[in-house]
Structures are given as C-alpha cells and as structure tokens.
Amino acid sequence: MSMEDLYQEIILDHYRKPHNRAPSLEDEDVHVHHSNPLCGDEMDLRLRVVDDRVDAVVFDGEGCSISQASASAMSDVVTGRDLKDALDLAEDFRKMMHGDEPARADDLGDGIAFQGVAKFPVRVKCALLGWMAVRDAIESYEQGASAHTVTHEE
Ligand code: ZN
C-alpha cells in the first residue's frame, strides 16, 4: 500500500466514523460556526476549556468528506493539549496546507494524512475549516467571547 493510499484510507475512515462529532457539548465555553461557501461546507464547533487546556472539542455540520474528516482528525490532535500548544498545531497545519513541511509532523496525528490535499487548491479551505474553527474558538475564549460566526471568503 502506497503512502498516498494509506492517507486516503485514514481520511475515509475519519469521514465514515468521525471522532468527537456531536450537536452539543455539556458546559461549553465557546461555540463557533464556520462556513466555506466555495464548497458548501458548514461547521459548528464547540469548545470546553479546563485549566487552560482543551478539555473537549466537538464539531457538527455538513460538507464534503475532506472538511468533515479533517475536523475529526483535528479533534483528536487538540483534545487534552494546552491552548497555546493547540494554537501552535493549528498554525502548523495551516502552513502545511499552504505547501510548507510541517514543523511538528509527529504531533499532527492523522492530520498529516491531509498533506496531499495541499496540491488541490480548491480543497485546501475544506481541509482547513475545522482547524481554523478551533483556532477561532480558542482565540475567542482568550478574548472572553462565547459565540462567533465566520464565513471564509476567498
Ligand atoms: Zn469542502
């Protein structure tokens, strides 16, 4: 099995059996809604913070397989991390989707499977949706905001 096939398998697996997909989260601190009109992806993301750590993150929404699978992978990566670390990884993922080698490949977990998506510019926003939503949620939390809607335009 080639690396590409393996990554494809990981992405499909997250799409078919998403992790941390839920319409609500007990004691949520922040709820953000992000959309990618280019593809029609919609995402609600809820974050709960305890002691400056991502205690829980859940997402819900609809959209293409890349957007949903990437959010699932993201949720595994950031859960349990302190906020600064989670932001750092979201930034590393963002850079990877713009063609850079990830600085923290080992910490990106299944997120690394999306590296090949960087070759398809129209899908980059799909892969980024969940990661940019969690970044926004953490930044909103740090600024004391509890809800937020963002539309990712060109
Ligand atoms: Zn999409």
Side-chain angles (χ1 to χ4, degrees):
M1 191 186 261
S2 74
M3 207 60 170
E4 215 154 293
D5 289 342
L6 176 68
Y7 283 174
Q8 196 62 37
E9 218 25 63
I10 291 172
I11 292 172
L12 276 175
D13 210 53
H14 275 283
Y15 179 59
R16 293 193 190 111
K17 288 172 292 195
H19 306 173
N20 303 299
R21 186 187 172 109
S24 63
L25 176 65
E26 211 177 318
D27 297 327
E28 72 177 33
D29 289 298
V30 186
H31 168 204
V32 297
H33 181 89
H34 281 225
S35 62
N36 168 25
L38 221 57
C39 177
D41 307 316
E42 299 281 339
M43 186 162 299
D44 283 285
L45 181 139
R46 294 174 159 85
L47 172 73
R48 186 173 68 224
V49 177
V50 174
D51 294 335
D52 276 332
R53 279 179 187 278
V54 177
D55 189 52
V57 60
V58 300
F59 74 98
D60 196 21
E62 45 192 81
C64 66
S65 54
I66 298 284
S67 67
Q68 304 299 306
S70 184
S72 172
M74 174 281 297
S75 72
D76 288 342
V77 169
V78 302
T79 301
R81 291 190 185 270
D82 70 45
L83 299 181
K84 190 172 168 297
D85 197 27
L87 283 176
D88 190 55
L89 284 166
E91 178 59 14
D92 203 34
F93 186 87
R94 192 189 66 78
K95 285 183 178 159
M96 180 179 83
M97 293 316 299
H98 287 105
D100 291 353
E101 275 304 311
R104 301 179 59 188
D106 291 347
D107 292 328
L108 283 177
D110 286 350
I112 204 76
F114 294 83
Q115 188 167 22
V117 176
K119 283 182 277 185
F120 305 96
V122 294
R123 310 315 301 275
V124 165
K125 275 179 196 289
C126 305
L128 279 173
L129 190 65
W131 297 78
M132 295 303 96
V134 80
R135 184 173 79 174
D136 179 35
I138 292 170
E139 287 172 351
S140 297
Y141 174 83
E142 288 176 333
Q143 291 159 15
S146 61
H148 212 68
T149 297
V150 174
T151 302
H152 294 273
E153 304 285 3
E154 263 304 82

